Amino acid sequence: ARGLIAPPCYIAAMATEGTTLSQRKDHSIEASGMSPIFETYTVETAAPPAPVSGFRLEVLPDDKKAAGPGRSGNGNFVLPEFAVRVLPAGGGEPRGVAFSRATADFSQKDWAVAGAIDGDAKTGWAISPQSKRRHVAVFECSEPMQFAVGDRLVFTLDQRFGNQHTILRFRLSATS
């Protein structure tokens, strides 16, 4: 059965270039403050106890400001790389999660979501002209994963496209 696992317990959310990331009550993370040309968001969560076959990334508009889900002037973003690492509870060597496929409810022409997992910083997921609305991407693991108690997940959203095309608000979850 495919289904969403409970929203993650965020341990930390950080940005490398000065953006402030804050968790909201709806388990989303919102970017504010500086809007640098390039940015990388890193979110650490507790690994879920259930088996995982993929991860979901929701990008969300800011209804109060009629903006987003990207921070650019037109509400777009570009996500060149989406990655997940597992930090073992016992302190062993972190391991990357391999993805076999990425799908999204919408991708901009020539900016398909599969570009976010292809290892090429010149490709990525974008959503113009469908900004100012929620979009969802699912990143399927190459093989199902089971985590040990105390394992942590580190999500990296590398937004090194430029031109302030970073994500305004997003939510992460796991799926089985």
Side-chain angles (χ1 to χ4, degrees):
R2 294 181 62 85
L4 269 183
I5 297 169
C9 170
Y10 298 117
I11 296 168
M14 300 164 282
T16 59
E17 304 300 323
T19 300
T20 300
L21 297 178
S22 305
Q23 184 174 346
R24 293 175 53 161
K25 289 180 184 178
D26 67 355
H27 299 282
S28 67
I29 295 174
E30 183 173 35
S32 62
M34 281 186 63
S35 185
I37 301 288
F38 304 107
E39 187 61 275
T40 300
Y41 301 159
T42 304
V43 178
E44 188 175 328
T45 71
V52 169
S53 62
F55 299 96
R56 183 173 82 166
L57 170 64
E58 292 175 82
V59 291
L60 305 160
D62 183 333
D63 297 331
K64 294 177 187 171
K65 299 176 187 172
R71 296 184 82 188
S72 68
N74 68 358
N76 198 14
F77 64 87
V78 178
L79 179 62
E81 294 301 317
F82 176 86
V84 181
R85 287 180 300 134
V86 179
L87 302 178
E93 191 66 31
R95 64 187 189 277
V97 173
F99 294 109
S100 59
R101 186 174 116 140
T103 57
D105 66 328
F106 179 80
S107 290
Q108 180 176 323
K109 185 179 183 216
D110 300 325
W111 290 95
V113 71
I117 60 168
D118 66 2
D120 183 351
K122 295 179 181 160
T123 63
W125 183 37
I127 50 106
S128 183
Q130 289 195 15
S131 60
K132 297 182 178 47
R133 62 178 80 167
R134 172 186 175 269
H135 290 286
V136 177
V138 175
F139 301 93
E140 295 178 29
C141 300
S142 294
E143 56 188 54
M145 304 185 74
Q146 181 70 52
F147 304 105
V149 173
D151 282 355
R152 295 178 316 212
L153 301 176
V154 177
F155 295 86
T156 302
L157 285 69
D158 188 347
Q159 302 165 87
R160 299 217 167 260
F161 174 75
N163 230 5
Q164 295 177 313
H165 276 71
T166 58
I167 297 171
L168 172 66
R169 192 169 141 229
F170 63 97
R171 182 172 30 234
L172 297 161
S173 52
T175 187
S176 61

